[in-house]
């Protein structure tokens, strides 16, 4: 298919070694290096210098593989790019069982080598993150409109599970602000947490269950690439908008407003502040105690409220919290009824967001400490956390950036720090719950604000603005959508714009016209290298930098034909003899894509132009090889340089040998390699 043997090439211009010394003596060539750069820009079309003794190589088709083997190879690259079975190759059966157990339970990998030195570091970091996890757990539960005790339950069971199944040394898990906010805002659209708290709690646990099922399924089926549709720009804009809304929502506690909106948008929140300003003006006598209490210690504010009996003077406190460990909640899961769709939808959205945040945080700290985090293991671990959590009175949990940062800075070495944190929370649940009775809600609001303000990453947004304006548009849309519409709608808008960008790149692939760097066989984008690259007379050389499929063939066909029309000039007589398409960047092609080249070849033949394809990759070559339109095959070359050199010499040979040949005969001579 388009292959020419080396024997045919000895005395002609088609593929293989070209002897051009005699031709150079007969026909002087243009020395491009001797001409000034301005002359090259003005003339635009120059002859390419053909290197002495250039060898034109054959385009070799890929080895034969059955359809089944091709399918297996594609599935492997799609679902197993990291080749998780590689470590089992060549190992004895006993070793394979050990490696398999370590793969499922990473704790078996680092546990046997654990030392007292590591334990000391993990105990310090575990206690440190527990001091942050306890107030955050209570605060984030209130952010999700759940009882504060649920936040502590969610800081006890999930960390124990992650220590067994997780692969990160730094990730500290528990409730997080973004997932709490999303769950609260989505469930509150249909169920009031104040009017029907029992149903609301049931839906929260059910949503957590579906989140865990989704997360674990993505890991087991190795479909983690789905979460890649949430780009960094989307996350930055979404988190910044959520941080603003979360902070404004805390004005209810900070200003002591009772009748506050439940909506998660900036307009109704600010409207509540101004319309209910009379409530905020009525400051209780000891408002300054809780409002001015330092943010660093929940205990201090609790002691102050207790000492001054501030709860009797209008200061809102948590109240009595139930002692004891997590009660079972499997009987509270809802799998039928009118609210099932709401629970599933909330579970999917919160599950994807929590998964994205957890994996991003884990990979961030893994890169700092130079170790690898298995994304699929993390999805399974987080999914198991939430499935088990949903039946033990926990709501959605994942890796927390703030707690993970504290864990890392406190010197945590392994996932055992999560166990230490969990044990500390357990002690709190068993013995210290009465101490939180007088904890003021205002301090919880302040803790939330402190935690979420860090989500507004202005330097990162500015960095995106400098690099990619479209990504910045996605960021801004996510931010504005969250603060002016709602959390989930803002996220949906940003994801939609990101997907539109991907579709735009697929349907409008980048195509450029190449020119030759004089004195070389190097070809580059004429627009980018306009100071050095020049067009080759008689050739239109095009580079396609994307896969070719049904979605972009119409665009490619119209674009290529337009370039040909532009080269034809006013007299509509084409100056082009060959259209050369560089397919080095075309990794895949479908049936419609193959038809594209057949149609282009048929269309340009009427104008006396030949189509030449350069360096088709294995899959593309395999499909081109199966196209045989009436015995006609595609002209193939291994590189643009070889194609231009060979075809240029062919034109010279044929003009010298016979000026009486018709144009079509000349083209056939060149294509068939006949001297």
């Amino acid at each position: 298919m388009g292959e020419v043997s080396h024997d045919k090439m000895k005395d002609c211009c088609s593929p293989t070694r070209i002897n051009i010394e005699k031709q150079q003596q007969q026909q002087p060539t243009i020395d491009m290096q001797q001409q000034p750069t301005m002359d090259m820009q003005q003339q635009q079309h120059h002859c390419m210098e053909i290197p002495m003794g250039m060898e034109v190589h054959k385009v070799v088709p890929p080895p034969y593989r059955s359809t089944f083997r091709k399918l297996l190879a594609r599935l492997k690259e799609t679902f197993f790019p990291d080749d998780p079975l590689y470590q089992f190759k060549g190992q004895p059966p006993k070793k394979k069982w050990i490696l398999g157990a370590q793969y499922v339970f990473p704790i078996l990998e680092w546990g046997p080598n654990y030392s007292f030195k590591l334990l000391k570091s993990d105990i310090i970091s575990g206690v440190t993150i527990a001091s942050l996890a306890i107030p955050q757990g209570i605060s984030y539960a209130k952010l999700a409109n759940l009882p504060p005790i649920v936040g502590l339950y969610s800081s006890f069971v999930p960390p124990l599970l992650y220590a067994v199944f997780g692969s990160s040394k730094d990730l500290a898990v528990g409730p997080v602000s973004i997932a709490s906010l999303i769950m609260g805002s989505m469930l509150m659209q249909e169920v009031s947490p104040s009017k029907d708290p029992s149903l609301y709690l049931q839906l929260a646990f059910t949503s957590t269950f579906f989140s865990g099922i989704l997360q674990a399924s993505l890991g087991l089926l190795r479909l983690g690439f789905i979460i890649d549709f949430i780009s960094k720009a989307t996350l930055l804009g979404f988190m910044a908008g959520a941080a603003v809304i979360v902070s404004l929502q805390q004005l209810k506690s900070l200003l002591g407003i009772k009748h506050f909106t439940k909506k998660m948008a900036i307009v109704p929140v600010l409207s509540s502040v101004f319309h209910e300003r009379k409530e905020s003006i009525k400051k209780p006598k000891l408002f300054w105690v809780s409002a001015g209490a330092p943010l660093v210690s929940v205990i201090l504010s609790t002691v102050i409220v207790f000492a001054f009996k501030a709860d009797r003077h209008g200061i809102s406190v948590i109240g009595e919290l139930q002692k004891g460990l997590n009660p079972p909640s499997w009987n509270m899961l809802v799998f039928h009824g009118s609210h099932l769709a709401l629970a599933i939808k909330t579970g999917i959205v919160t599950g994807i967001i929590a998964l994205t945040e957890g994996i991003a945080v884990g990979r961030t700290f893994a890169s700092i400490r130079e170790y690898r985090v298995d994304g699929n293991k993390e999805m399974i671990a987080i999914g198991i956390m939430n499935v088990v959590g949903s039946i033990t009175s926990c709501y959605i949990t994942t890796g927390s950036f703030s707690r993970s940062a504290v864990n890392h800075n406190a010197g945590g070495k392994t996932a055992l720090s999560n166990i230490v944190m969990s044990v500390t929370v357990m002690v709190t649940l068993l013995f210290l719950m009465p101490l939180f009775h007088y904890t003021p809600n205002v301090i919880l609001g302040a803790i939330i604000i402190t935690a979420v303000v860090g989500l507004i990453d202005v330097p990162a947004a500015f960095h995106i603005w400098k690099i990619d304006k479209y990504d910045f548009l996605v960021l801004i849309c996510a931010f504005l959508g969250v603060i002016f519409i709602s959390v989930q709608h803002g996220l949906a808008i940003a994801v939609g714009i990101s997907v539109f960008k991907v579709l735009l790149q697929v349907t409008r692939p980048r195509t450029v016209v190449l020119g030759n760097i004089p004195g070389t066989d190097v070809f580059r984008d004429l627009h980018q290298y306009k100071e050095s690259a020049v067009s080759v007379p008689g050739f239109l050389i095009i580079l396609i930098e994307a896969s070719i499929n049904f979605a972009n063939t119409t665009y490619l066909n119209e674009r290529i034909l337009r370039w040909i029309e532009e080269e034809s000039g006013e007299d509509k007589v084409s100056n082009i003899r060959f259209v050369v398409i560089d397919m080095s960047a075309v990794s895949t092609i479908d049936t419609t894509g193959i038809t594209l080249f057949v149609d282009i070849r048929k269309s340009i033949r009427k104008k006396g132009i030949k189509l030449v394809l350069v360096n088709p990759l294995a899959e593309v070559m395999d499909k081109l090889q199966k196209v045989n339109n009436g015995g006609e095959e595609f002209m193939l070359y291994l590189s643009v340089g070889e194609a231009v050199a060979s075809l240029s010499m062919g034109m010279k040979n044929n003009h010298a040998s016979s000026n009486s040949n018709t144009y079509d005969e000349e083209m056939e001579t060149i294509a068939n390699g006949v001297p």
Side-chain angles (χ1 to χ4, degrees):
M1 132 125 215
E3 298 174 21
V4 183
S5 67
H6 285 266
D7 294 333
K8 286 185 179 181
M9 295 303 306
K10 292 181 180 178
D11 300 316
C12 73
C13 63
S14 293
T16 286
R17 187 173 301 281
I18 303 174
N19 186 353
I20 62 173
E21 289 186 12
K22 184 176 180 180
Q23 298 298 331
Q24 287 181 329
Q25 292 175 0
Q26 295 176 354
Q27 300 181 15
T29 59
I30 301 175
D31 189 352
M32 300 302 304
Q33 293 180 329
Q34 295 179 357
Q35 296 187 24
T37 304
M38 283 300 280
D39 290 344
M40 289 190 291
Q41 294 177 5
Q42 293 172 357
Q43 295 180 19
Q44 293 185 351
H45 293 279
H46 297 269
C47 292
M48 172 185 171
E49 272 193 26
I50 305 174
M52 295 290 293
M54 169 179 281
E55 183 174 346
V56 180
H57 301 83
K58 295 172 63 178
V59 178
V60 181
Y64 172 78
R65 289 191 302 173
S66 65
T67 302
F68 179 71
R69 289 188 174 274
K70 292 178 184 177
L71 178 61
L72 285 182
R74 175 53 62 92
L75 291 176
K76 180 180 178 181
E77 289 303 314
T78 302
F79 300 106
F80 302 96
D82 54 343
D83 194 6
L85 300 180
Y86 176 79
Q87 59 179 332
F88 296 94
K89 294 179 180 178
Q91 300 291 346
K94 183 179 179 180
K95 182 65 174 178
K96 288 181 179 179
W97 280 105
I98 295 174
L99 291 174
Q102 290 177 345
Y103 183 83
V104 177
F105 305 102
I107 192 173
L108 298 178
E109 185 176 353
W110 55 266
N113 301 319
Y114 202 76
S115 65
F116 179 78
K117 183 178 180 181
L118 295 176
L119 177 62
K120 181 181 177 181
S121 299
D122 286 338
I123 288 177
I124 294 174
S125 60
V127 173
T128 303
I129 57 178
S131 65
L132 178 63
I134 291 171
Q136 279 191 349
I138 296 173
S139 302
Y140 293 159
K142 290 183 67 65
L143 183 61
N145 302 304
L146 296 169
I149 191 66
V150 175
L152 292 181
Y153 291 157
S154 303
S155 300
F156 170 52
V157 173
L160 292 175
L161 294 168
Y162 184 81
V164 176
F165 294 98
S167 61
S168 173
K169 301 176 183 178
D170 297 278
L171 200 66
V173 301
V176 294
S177 58
I178 298 301
S180 301
L181 171 67
I182 295 175
M183 176 172 284
S185 62
M186 293 185 70
L187 293 180
M188 200 166 51
Q189 290 179 349
E190 296 187 21
V191 180
S192 172
S194 57
K195 295 180 180 179
D196 200 346
S198 177
L199 176 60
Y200 188 91
L201 187 61
Q202 291 175 0
L203 293 178
F205 292 151
T206 306
S207 299
T208 301
F209 175 82
F210 285 116
S211 292
I213 292 295
L214 171 68
Q215 293 164 339
S217 299
L218 290 177
L220 289 171
L221 299 177
R222 306 184 71 81
L223 297 174
F225 59 85
I226 292 177
I227 67 174
D228 293 336
F229 280 98
I230 302 180
S231 65
K232 182 178 180 181
T234 301
L235 280 178
L236 282 173
F238 171 74
M239 289 190 298
V244 172
I245 294 300
V246 170
S247 300
L248 290 175
Q249 276 284 337
Q250 304 318 304
L251 292 176
K252 174 184 178 180
S253 298
L254 294 175
L255 300 178
I257 299 176
K258 295 181 179 179
H259 299 88
F260 203 79
T261 181
K262 298 296 184 181
K263 296 182 179 180
M264 293 292 180
I266 192 170
V267 174
V269 169
L270 292 180
S271 177
S272 291
V273 172
F274 289 106
H275 289 164
E276 307 297 337
R277 59 185 181 275
K278 294 181 180 180
E279 292 186 14
S280 63
I281 293 174
K282 295 179 181 178
K283 301 180 182 179
K285 296 180 181 179
L286 297 178
F287 177 77
W288 63 271
V289 175
S290 55
L295 305 180
V296 294
S297 177
V298 169
I299 297 176
L300 180 58
S301 62
T302 303
V303 170
I304 293 175
V305 171
F306 175 77
F308 287 88
K309 305 298 181 182
D311 58 314
R312 300 178 183 177
H313 299 276
I315 296 299
S316 175
V317 296
I318 292 179
E320 184 178 355
L321 296 178
Q322 180 182 352
K323 292 174 60 176
L325 301 181
N326 302 35
S329 57
W330 58 269
N331 59 329
M332 298 181 67
L333 301 182
V334 178
F335 297 115
H336 56 82
S338 58
H339 297 297
L340 178 60
L342 173 65
I344 295 175
K345 181 175 68 173
T346 304
I348 292 174
V349 175
T350 55
I352 291 177
I353 291 298
L355 201 59
T356 303
E357 181 177 357
I359 293 178
V361 172
R363 287 175 175 171
T364 297
F365 288 100
S367 64
I368 295 175
R369 292 181 56 182
E370 298 181 348
Y371 66 91
R372 183 175 175 272
V373 168
D374 189 321
N376 289 291
K377 283 185 183 179
E378 291 298 286
M379 286 186 276
I380 295 173
I382 295 174
I384 292 174
M385 278 168 33
N386 286 311
V387 170
V388 177
S390 67
I391 61 176
T392 55
S393 300
C394 303
Y395 79 108
I396 187 76
T397 56
T398 188
S400 165
F401 183 83
S402 59
R403 269 166 284 184
S404 299
V406 170
N407 186 29
H408 175 78
N409 295 329
K413 302 299 182 183
T414 69
L416 189 73
S417 59
N418 277 283
I419 297 178
V420 175
M421 176 186 71
S422 181
V423 171
T424 306
V425 174
M426 179 187 70
V427 172
T428 303
L429 286 169
L430 290 175
F431 306 108
L432 305 179
M433 296 312 297
L435 299 179
F436 290 95
H437 179 89
Y438 293 99
T439 300
N441 285 318
V442 66
I443 202 68
L444 301 181
I447 289 172
I448 293 174
I449 293 175
T450 303
V452 300
V453 162
L455 298 176
I456 304 176
D457 196 341
V458 176
F462 181 69
H463 181 68
I464 290 177
W465 163 260
K466 291 195 300 182
I467 295 177
D468 193 324
K469 300 300 188 293
Y470 193 100
D471 276 351
F472 186 77
L473 174 64
V474 173
L475 186 154
I476 292 298
C477 288
F479 177 77
L480 296 178
V482 168
I483 66 173
F484 284 107
I485 306 176
S486 68
V487 173
Q488 58 269 30
H489 286 96
L491 179 63
I493 291 172
V495 172
I497 296 175
S498 297
V499 172
F500 177 75
K501 177 184 178 181
V502 174
L503 293 176
L504 196 63
Q505 292 172 341
V506 171
T507 58
R508 295 294 184 269
R510 187 170 182 268
T511 54
V512 297
V513 176
L514 303 181
N516 177 240
I517 306 295
T520 72
D521 62 349
V522 176
F523 290 79
R524 290 294 181 265
D525 182 1
L526 278 172
H527 178 73
Q528 181 180 355
Y529 292 87
K530 56 185 176 182
E531 299 293 332
S532 53
V534 293
S535 300
V536 180
F539 290 85
L540 173 61
I541 307 170
I542 299 170
L543 171 64
I544 301 176
E545 298 182 341
S547 296
I548 301 176
N549 52 59
F550 66 93
N552 56 31
T553 51
T554 301
Y555 167 78
L556 290 173
N557 184 53
E558 293 175 352
R559 191 70 185 88
I560 292 171
L561 295 179
R562 182 156 63 90
W563 267 320
I564 295 174
E565 291 294 330
E566 291 173 353
E567 291 291 329
S568 298
E570 296 181 357
D571 55 2
K572 299 301 179 183
V573 177
S574 177
N575 298 316
I576 302 171
R577 310 288 292 277
F578 298 97
V579 173
V580 180
I581 299 181
D582 187 351
M583 304 181 67
S584 302
V586 180
S587 58
T588 59
I589 193 170
D590 64 2
T591 306
T592 310
I594 296 295
T595 306
L596 166 71
F597 294 118
V598 175
D599 292 342
I600 290 178
R601 181 174 59 183
K602 185 184 301 182
S603 176
I604 65 178
R605 182 190 289 116
K606 300 175 182 178
K607 301 181 180 182
I609 303 172
K610 286 289 184 179
L611 177 66
V612 180
L613 305 181
V614 170
N615 192 26
L617 302 183
E619 179 180 332
V620 179
M621 179 66 181
D622 183 54
K623 293 180 179 179
L624 286 173
Q625 197 175 20
K626 297 175 181 177
V627 177
N628 189 349
N629 186 17
E632 185 178 4
E633 297 177 334
F634 288 98
M635 297 176 62
L636 302 176
Y637 284 86
L638 194 61
S639 70
V640 175
E642 293 181 5
V644 173
S646 174
L647 297 172
S648 295
M649 186 56 62
M651 287 190 291
K652 292 181 181 179
N653 287 342
N654 283 278
H655 279 298
S657 62
S658 176
N659 292 326
S660 62
N661 283 347
T662 64
Y663 188 78
D664 288 337
E665 291 173 344
E666 180 185 341
M667 292 295 101
E668 289 299 323
T669 300
I670 296 171
N672 296 326
V674 179

